[in-house]
Amino acid sequence: MQKIIKIALIVIGVISAVLWYFLPSGDFTIPEVAAEAANSSAMNVMFMITYLLLGVAVVVALVYTLKNLFSTPENLKKALFALGGFALVVIISYFLSNGEDLDPQFLTDNDTTTSTVKNIGTGIYTFLILVAVAVVLMVIPSVKKLIGK
């Protein structure tokens, strides 16, 4: 299996090198050069290879993660607790945020609704809570280590 993967990677690398040679060169800030690059078949094939490799990486990562997760009940239990904790943080953040922080003129000019502002606030509060938890979890062992000595 390792040999097959190595051979496949070498073949993909050689194909990519050949396609790179056929890419248009020049200043891509010039619209004509950018249009030529966008319509280049070499560029399109390289994007297809990129999407294929990204898809393979995502599938492999998910398969091995799920395999490891379901291999032991302890791992599944830990993952469910972590997922539940994250859901709790998001729910708390949702109730902490409000959608009334903007000037009504801003809402009409940019087609932004109060629910959009509330969702953004939820994301910000979620980030802040998770950062606070991470800092606390880094500080506690250090304090215990200092007290223990």
Side-chain angles (χ1 to χ4, degrees), residues 23-41:
L23 286 177
S25 61
D27 186 5
F28 290 111
T29 59
I30 300 171
E32 294 82 21
V33 176
E36 179 187 351
N39 293 327
S40 168
S41 61

